[in-house]
């Protein structure tokens, strides 16, 4: 015989209270006497009652669901951010719907509207930079949004980041301090289209402070992949570059292996810094010096910020900047 599902009616009958009282206990309403709350909780435990999240959402006008938008599901950078988000979501009893969108394809608005149609309580958006498509979609809706690891130059939406300009500048400055004379910056195609401005500015500032001239030819574009890093090294070598900061670890790995195959000594003759500090930067040999972002913390703080917005709590700070460090490894002196 199939086991009958325990309902809120069963709990109310066993506890000899109204279904409204059971609902208040389940939803954490404080307007319940302690002895009544304890009696209801005892029955819930004894009957192994599992509140239906959808029904609970209808009663509270909350779905207890968060939408998470990532550019790529297989990107280690965003995977680490997601771990922090998931842990805090679990702590506050939120479920997560994850959806990905390729920023090179015009699907952002479709994805955002798709999440909103599921009545999510809030959305966390992760990308290199807030696109105008996403900005307009967010601004048209009242659903709370938080940007995690995502640059919004206008600072119109709550966000959690590091100071990316300072990180890039510190990386380039470290090359120059090691005696390198011709650093370069490698960006991915999406970076070139929507996220280049603040990275390039930091690159220019580092050169200017050192009394060096900036050339557009020192900014390189790649296709985000390992093969792209391998190919871009040939261009770097041909142009006399002796150090490079790469925005993606997998691309940096391609650069390092290409240098090895070309018998270029790292770090004596060529230095490399990556910007994400994922596991790739640690397991390759020589291991890659990286900008160490507190990825887990960025995700966790973003989720906590979103819960405050959902509950209409006062925000101490809407634009949170967390500290970063440079993790020195074998690819720099």
């Amino acid at each position: 015989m199939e086991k009958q599902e325990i309902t809120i009616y069963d709990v109310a009958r066993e506890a000899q209270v109204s279904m409204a009282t059971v609902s208040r206990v389940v939803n954490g309403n404080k307007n319940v006497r302690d002895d009544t709350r304890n009696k209801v909780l005892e029955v819930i435990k004894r009957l192994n009652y599992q509140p239906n999240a959808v029904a609970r959402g209808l009663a509270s006008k909350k779905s207890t669901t968060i939408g998470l938008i990532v550019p790529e599901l297989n990107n280690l950078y965003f995977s680490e951010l997601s771990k922090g988000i998931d842990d805090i979501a679990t702590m506050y009893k939120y479920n997560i719907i994850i959806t990905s969108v390729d920023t090179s394809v015009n699907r952002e608005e479709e994805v955002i509207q798709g999440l909103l149609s599921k009545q999510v309580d809030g959305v966390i958006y992760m990308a290199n930079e807030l696109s105008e498509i996403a900005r307009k979609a967010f601004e048209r809706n009242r659903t709370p949004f938080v940007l995690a690891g995502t640059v919004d130059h206008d600072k119109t939406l709550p966000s959690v980041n590091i100071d990316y300009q300072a990180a890039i500048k510190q990386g380039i400055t470290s090359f120059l301090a090691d005696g390198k004379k011709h650093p370069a910056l490698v960006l991915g195609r999406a970076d070139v289209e929507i996220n280049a401005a603040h990275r390039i500015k930091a690159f220019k500032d580092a050169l200017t402070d050192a009394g060096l001239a900036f050339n557009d030819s020192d900014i390189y574009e790649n296709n985000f992949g390992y093969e792209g890093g391998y190919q871009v090294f040939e261009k770097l070598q041909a142009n006399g570059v002796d150090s490079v900061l790469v925005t993606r670890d997998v691309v940096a790995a391609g650069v390092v292996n290409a240098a090895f195959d070309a018998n270029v000594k790292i770090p004596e003759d060529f230095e490399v810094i990556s910007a994400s500090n994922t596991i790739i930067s640690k397991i390759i040999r020589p291991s890659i010096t990286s900008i160490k972002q507190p990825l887990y913390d960025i995700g966790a703080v973003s989720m906590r910020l979103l819960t405050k917005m959902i509950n209409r709590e006062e925000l101490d700070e809407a634009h949170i900047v967390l500290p970063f460090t440079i993790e020195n490894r074998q690819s720099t002196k």
Side-chain angles (χ1 to χ4, degrees), residues 25-315:
V25 172
V26 169
N27 287 296
N29 192 311
K30 296 181 179 179
N31 295 323
V32 180
R33 285 169 32 188
D34 288 342
D35 58 338
T36 301
R37 184 188 308 279
N38 291 335
K39 181 169 62 173
V40 171
L41 290 174
E42 187 278 327
V43 172
I44 287 174
K45 182 178 180 181
R46 176 160 51 86
L47 297 181
N48 193 28
Y49 170 59
Q50 301 293 327
N52 185 285
V54 174
R56 189 167 70 242
L58 291 173
S60 64
K61 296 183 180 180
K62 292 183 179 180
S63 67
T64 65
T65 301
I66 297 298
L68 181 58
I69 300 175
V70 298
E72 307 160 81
L73 291 174
N74 63 348
N75 187 312
L76 293 175
Y77 176 89
F78 295 111
S79 295
E80 188 67 25
L81 277 176
S82 299
K83 290 178 184 177
I85 293 170
D86 184 60
D87 281 355
I88 301 303
T90 299
M91 181 185 302
Y92 285 89
K93 303 187 186 309
Y94 281 98
N95 300 308
I96 293 179
I97 298 175
I98 301 178
T99 186
S100 65
V101 55
D102 185 343
T103 52
S104 66
V105 179
N106 190 10
R107 289 190 59 244
E108 284 187 295
E109 186 168 10
E110 174 188 338
V111 168
I112 293 169
Q113 296 304 325
L115 277 178
L116 294 176
S117 71
K118 293 178 173 64
Q119 303 299 310
V120 295
D121 293 330
V123 173
I124 295 180
Y125 177 89
M126 299 190 295
N128 290 310
E129 183 174 355
L130 179 65
S131 70
E132 283 305 308
I133 292 173
R135 183 194 301 279
K136 291 176 182 177
F138 293 158
E139 291 175 347
R140 285 196 299 268
N141 294 279
R142 295 183 179 180
T143 303
F145 292 87
V146 172
L147 310 178
T150 304
V151 176
D152 173 17
H153 296 293
D154 294 343
K155 294 187 176 180
T156 58
L157 293 171
S159 60
V160 183
N161 294 295
I162 66 166
D163 186 336
Y164 298 103
Q165 282 197 22
I168 295 292
K169 183 176 180 180
Q170 185 172 327
I172 299 299
T173 300
S174 71
F175 289 145
L176 303 176
D178 287 344
K180 294 298 185 279
K181 303 296 184 183
H182 191 174
L185 181 65
V186 174
L187 306 171
R189 280 205 300 263
D191 288 319
V192 171
E193 293 169 2
I194 65 173
N195 195 32
H198 74 286
R199 297 180 187 270
I200 294 176
K201 183 180 185 305
F203 182 61
K204 286 181 178 179
D205 288 347
L207 295 177
T208 299
D209 289 351
L212 299 175
F214 167 78
N215 295 304
D216 289 333
S217 59
D218 290 329
I219 305 297
Y220 293 79
E221 176 185 344
N222 75 91
N223 64 0
F224 281 156
Y226 171 84
E227 292 81 5
Y230 204 96
Q231 293 165 5
V232 81
F233 176 75
E234 296 177 0
K235 299 177 182 178
L236 295 170
Q237 191 175 33
N239 293 334
V241 171
D242 59 13
S243 50
V244 63
L245 194 151
V246 187
T247 57
R248 291 252 182 146
D249 285 2
V250 66
V251 178
V255 170
V256 167
N257 281 353
F260 177 83
D261 289 345
N263 295 317
V264 174
K265 294 182 180 179
I266 293 179
E268 294 84 358
D269 300 327
F270 194 87
E271 293 192 17
V272 181
I273 294 178
S274 67
S276 300
N277 197 43
T278 64
I279 189 66
I280 292 174
S281 65
K282 304 171 188 177
I283 62 176
I284 192 170
R285 291 295 178 269
S287 57
I288 304 173
T289 294
S290 295
I291 297 170
K292 186 177 181 181
Q293 303 182 42
L295 298 181
Y296 179 93
D297 292 347
I298 291 174
V301 173
S302 297
M303 184 62 213
R304 181 64 185 106
L305 182 60
L306 187 61
T307 64
K308 289 184 177 182
M309 295 173 64
I310 291 170
N311 294 319
R312 298 182 180 180
E313 299 176 31
E314 183 177 352
L315 302 181

